[in-house]
Amino acid sequence: MRLIFVRHGEPDYAHDCLTADGKRQAEAAASRLMREGITEIYSSPKGRALETAASTAEKLELPVHVLDYMAEITWSGEGIPFGGHPWKLSSMMVDEEDFDFWENDWRKHPYFKGNKATELYDVIAANIDKLLAGFGYRHEGSRFYCDGGSDKTIALFSHGGFGACALAHILSLPFPYVNTVMPYDYASVIILDFPIADKEYIHPRIALF
């Protein structure tokens, strides 16, 4: 199975839609994705993601399945700098504090303990696990148990925050670390490959970033 993450095109956040450049980006992404053999399309309920998904869905003549948990994350927390903004805080942890993610739990750091973003990370992680389990990949620890597996190619059209949460969880990487070292711009494409090895443990591989 392949899981394709596509971030929405350049947005007009005030109206939750795409700008003229964003629409061109969505069309370019659709042309790029035509050769990937996409079998199912899922999208955030936000307008900017739905518009981006529509460009690909129309070319492939596929329906778009809307999943509410794929909406962009929010952030907040009493006493947390920058209003809890996860990217600014993540950058501070990596660049200024040299936080050791392997010895310490990022969730317990003052920037993320009590931050709404951490709560939403958990919601996304739980729902992504349910989605993948439905395709024959059960998340156990830092690996997946292949219970039959799948040869489908699934496209997820969403947002930077959702994508960072999902990638961090699937790849067993710290969320702030992913925010800092794995950014992706508007209409970018990321592909994860899930091998089929029935009744064996597997780990997804980054095929394209």
Side-chain angles (χ1 to χ4, degrees):
M1 185 182 76
R2 293 191 308 154
L3 200 60
I4 302 180
F5 291 84
V6 187
R7 190 180 176 190
H8 59 75
E10 182 183 76
D12 173 346
Y13 283 117
H15 299 95
D16 189 23
C17 63
L18 297 179
T19 63
D21 279 345
K23 292 176 181 178
R24 285 190 285 270
Q25 290 170 343
E27 285 298 316
S31 296
R32 166 66 181 81
L33 293 168
M34 286 294 289
R35 61 179 181 267
E36 295 298 341
I38 293 170
T39 53
E40 296 186 23
I41 295 176
Y42 295 85
S43 175
S44 154
K46 295 294 185 179
R48 54 195 185 271
L50 285 169
E51 277 191 62
T52 307
S55 295
T56 299
E58 289 170 6
K59 287 182 181 295
L60 295 175
E61 298 183 346
L62 289 173
V64 176
H65 305 284
V66 177
L67 298 176
D68 289 341
Y69 69 85
M70 286 177 59
E72 181 59 302
I73 63 171
T74 56
W75 47 88
S76 62
E78 186 175 352
I80 303 177
F82 301 107
H85 189 278
W87 292 275
K88 290 181 180 177
L89 300 176
S90 296
S91 180
M92 289 172 64
M93 290 173 71
V94 173
D95 299 330
E96 297 180 20
E97 299 180 12
D98 193 24
F99 185 82
D100 189 339
F101 290 104
W102 314 115
E103 294 294 329
N104 302 292
D105 186 353
W106 64 270
R107 296 167 177 275
K108 295 180 181 179
H109 192 285
Y111 293 163
F112 286 97
K113 184 179 181 181
N115 193 326
K116 181 70 173 178
T118 305
E119 178 185 333
L120 293 174
Y121 174 95
D122 291 334
V123 171
I124 289 169
N127 280 285
I128 280 291
D129 281 350
K130 289 179 183 178
L131 179 71
L132 294 174
F135 289 104
Y137 295 94
R138 188 169 69 245
H139 204 168
E140 295 184 7
S142 63
R143 58 188 180 174
F144 289 81
Y145 183 74
C146 181
D147 189 8
S150 171
D151 61 357
K152 291 185 175 182
T153 296
I154 301 148
L156 306 178
F157 289 81
S158 57
H159 312 267
F162 167 83
C165 290
L167 287 168
H169 181 63
I170 292 171
L171 298 174
S172 299
L173 294 171
F175 174 55
Y177 182 79
V178 170
N179 281 337
T180 305
V181 305
M182 298 174 68
Y184 56 106
D185 209 343
Y186 301 132
S188 291
V189 175
I190 298 169
I191 302 178
L192 301 185
D193 179 72
F194 290 73
I196 295 178
D198 192 26
K199 303 300 184 286
E200 294 182 15
Y201 285 101
I202 64 97
H203 199 283
R205 299 175 295 215
I206 301 173
L208 177 73
F209 192 93

